[in-house]
Amino acid sequence: GLVNPVMTQLIQAIRSREGSFSSIERLGAGSYYEHVKVFEPNEFDIMLVMPVARLQLDECDDTGAYYYLSFKRNPKEKYLLKFLDEDGKLSAFKMLQALRTIIKQEVKTIKNAEVTVKRKKAGSPAITLQIKSPPAEISVDIILTLEVQQSWPPSTQDGLKIEQWLGRKVRGEFRNRSLYLVAKQNKKEKVLRGNTWRLSFSHIEKAMLNNHGSSKTCCESDGPKCCRKGCLKLLKYLLEQLKMQHTKQLDKFHSYQVKTAFFHSCVMWPNDTDWQSGDLEFCFQKYLGYFLDCLQKSHLPHFFIPQYNLLSPEDKASNDFLSRLLKYELNNGFPIFQE
C-alpha cells in the first residue's frame, strides 16, 4: 500500500521526461513477488524494464553472465545513443546516473510518505529508496533492466535443464521469452568503468516458482499440495538468521545461491510425489544436503548459465564456515528455528 503509490508517481515522472526512459515498464521481482518472502514485506525489488529491439552482446569474462552491449547499425533507440561510452558501449553507469537524477528530483514532491534516495553502494545495480511512514520503514531497490527481443546467448545453451521436471515444451516456451539484462558492475573487470550488464532471469524464475509442479494442478486451490516453497523459505530463513549472527564472515552469501540450489533440487527430484506436503522435514534435509554438498565442493552452477559458478573456490574459507554452521544446525535439530 505504501510502495505502489510512490512507484506509480515515480514511473509517471520518469516517462514524462525527455525520450530516454519514456518506454519504461514496471516488473515486480524478487521474493515478495515470488511469494517466498520470509520476513515482513519491508524490502521490495522492482525492475524498471526498457524494451530494446536488438543489441550486440560481447562477453566480458569467462562467466558467460556479464556482457558489454553495443548497437547494431542504425538503432531504433536513438535516444539511447547519448549513453554510449567512448568505445561505443552502452554505459550502465551513465544510464543509472540519469535515472537516479530524475528519481532524486521527483521524490522531493511526494506528499504522503517521507521518501529518500539512499547513497549509492559501489557496484550495486540498484537505486535504493527508503520509504518512511511511521511505524513502517520500507526499502525499495529499483533495478534498471533492458528487455531485448532476441535469442539467448550461447552461454545459456545447456542451462535450464527442466525437461524431467516441468517438461520440454515449457523449456522451449521459456527460452523463447525476451532476454533481460540488468545494469550490474562486473567486479572482475580490469578497469571498473561501470559499463557491464548482467543477464537476468528473474522473469523465468518467478514463472517457475509460481508454476512449480510436474503436474499442472500442484498447489492449486483444489489440487494436491507440495512442500517445495516451504523448503525454500526454510533455507532462506536459516541463511538470513545466520547472516545476522555472523555478518562479516557470511557477507559473500545471498539468497540467490539458496534459490539456485533449490532449482537444481527440483530437477534432481522432479516429481510432485518427491515433495509431498507431509514430508517437509525430510525434503528440507534432502535439499539442505545438496546445498552442503555444493559448499563442500565450492561449486554451484548458475541454473541458466552452467559455466558460471556461484560458489567460487576463492571463497573456500567462507564456504567451509557456512558449511560448519549449517551442519551444526542439522545435527542439533535446528536450534535457530526455536529462537
Side-chain angles (χ1 to χ4, degrees):
L2 267 179
V3 174
N4 285 335
V6 168
M7 284 311 300
T8 304
Q9 181 175 339
L10 282 181
I11 288 169
Q12 277 172 345
I14 293 165
R15 281 193 189 141
S16 64
R17 298 290 172 104
E18 25 115 41
S20 308
F21 299 108
S22 58
S23 58
I24 224 153
E25 292 284 340
R26 164 189 176 165
L27 178 78
S31 55
Y32 177 77
Y33 297 97
E34 293 164 348
H35 311 293
V36 288
K37 190 92 187 108
V38 289
F39 291 109
E40 284 296 300
N42 58 354
E43 290 179 351
F44 293 83
D45 293 331
I46 290 176
M47 297 172 96
L48 290 189
V49 181
M50 288 183 75
V52 181
R54 281 192 71 68
L55 285 168
Q56 164 90 27
L57 271 65
D58 294 302
E59 292 195 18
C60 69
D61 64 8
D62 55 3
T63 61
Y66 288 92
Y67 291 83
Y68 296 119
L69 304 182
S70 48
F71 286 106
K72 309 232 163 142
R73 293 181 304 281
N74 297 329
K76 290 197 190 100
E77 295 81 12
K78 297 274 184 277
Y79 52 84
L80 291 179
L81 296 177
K82 64 168 176 289
F83 298 124
L84 298 181
D85 67 10
E86 59 282 1
D87 302 330
K89 306 259 192 299
L90 187 57
S91 165
F93 175 75
K94 284 185 177 181
M95 285 186 75
L96 277 173
Q97 219 173 12
L99 190 58
R100 195 181 179 87
T101 305
I102 299 173
I103 290 174
K104 269 182 135 164
Q105 289 165 348
E106 188 59 28
V107 295
K108 294 178 183 144
T109 69
I110 291 174
K111 298 281 186 289
N112 22 1
E114 182 194 331
V115 184
T116 48
V117 180
K118 288 176 77 170
R119 280 193 53 198
K120 186 179 175 328
K121 286 208 292 276
S124 162
I127 296 169
T128 306
L129 301 182
Q130 198 76 26
I131 304 177
K132 281 186 191 161
S133 175
E137 192 167 313
I138 291 174
S139 99
V140 179
D141 277 352
I142 296 174
I143 299 151
L144 176 61
T145 310
L146 303 177
E147 177 182 5
V148 194
Q149 303 290 339
Q150 68 193 49
S151 50
W152 295 11
S155 64
T156 64
Q157 196 55 53
D158 298 326
L160 190 61
K161 283 274 170 253
I162 56 173
E163 292 88 342
Q164 302 298 312
W165 168 34
L166 298 174
R168 182 161 295 156
K169 192 167 146 226
V170 174
R171 182 178 192 265
E173 283 165 12
F174 283 159
R175 285 190 57 93
N176 279 330
R177 294 198 190 180
S178 320
L179 191 61
Y180 280 52
L181 292 137
V182 294
K184 176 75 175 125
Q185 180 64 62
N186 179 7
K187 296 191 179 72
K188 289 190 182 153
E189 211 186 1
K190 289 180 186 62
V191 185
L192 289 183
R193 280 193 308 236
N195 61 358
T196 57
W197 297 78
R198 193 186 65 202
L199 295 179
S200 164
F201 300 92
S202 43
H203 53 319
I204 312 287
E205 289 161 10
K206 187 170 157 183
M208 291 194 298
L209 277 166
N210 291 337
N211 298 292
H212 52 253
S214 52
S215 78
K216 293 292 165 259
T217 54
C218 183
C219 289
E220 282 183 3
S221 54
D222 47 359
K225 301 281 180 279
C226 79
C227 63
R228 286 181 180 90
K229 279 192 175 181
C231 289
L232 174 57
K233 282 181 173 179
L234 280 174
L235 193 47
K236 281 182 65 161
Y237 178 78
L238 188 51
L239 178 65
E240 283 178 43
Q241 293 296 87
L242 291 171
K243 278 185 67 127
M244 283 182 206
Q245 293 173 6
H246 309 273
T247 314
K248 212 165 144 209
Q249 298 94 321
L250 298 181
D251 71 336
K252 292 265 193 321
F253 296 100
H254 39 81
S255 63
Y256 192 72
Q257 292 150 323
V258 165
K259 185 160 109 177
T260 299
F262 169 74
F263 288 136
H264 285 301
S265 300
C266 289
V267 168
M268 281 188 290
W269 299 291
N271 302 315
D272 298 344
T273 48
D274 298 324
W275 301 88
Q276 286 174 352
S277 62
D279 299 338
L280 176 66
E281 191 177 341
F282 171 73
C283 294
F284 174 65
Q285 294 195 10
K286 205 163 60 161
Y287 159 43
L288 175 59
Y290 169 70
F291 186 57
L292 280 166
D293 195 40
C294 295
L295 285 168
Q296 192 193 333
K297 295 174 180 155
S298 287
H299 186 68
L300 171 62
H302 189 289
F303 194 66
F304 298 83
I305 311 167
Q307 70 197 57
Y308 182 21
N309 179 12
L310 297 179
L311 290 173
S312 158
E314 294 157 30
D315 302 326
K316 183 152 176 44
S318 8
N319 296 344
D320 290 346
F321 183 77
L322 178 57
S323 182
R324 281 199 300 277
L325 293 175
L326 289 172
K327 280 180 181 154
Y328 174 82
E329 291 295 325
L330 177 63
N331 297 331
N332 292 284
F334 299 101
I336 210 156
F337 290 152
Q338 269 85 58
E339 280 169 24

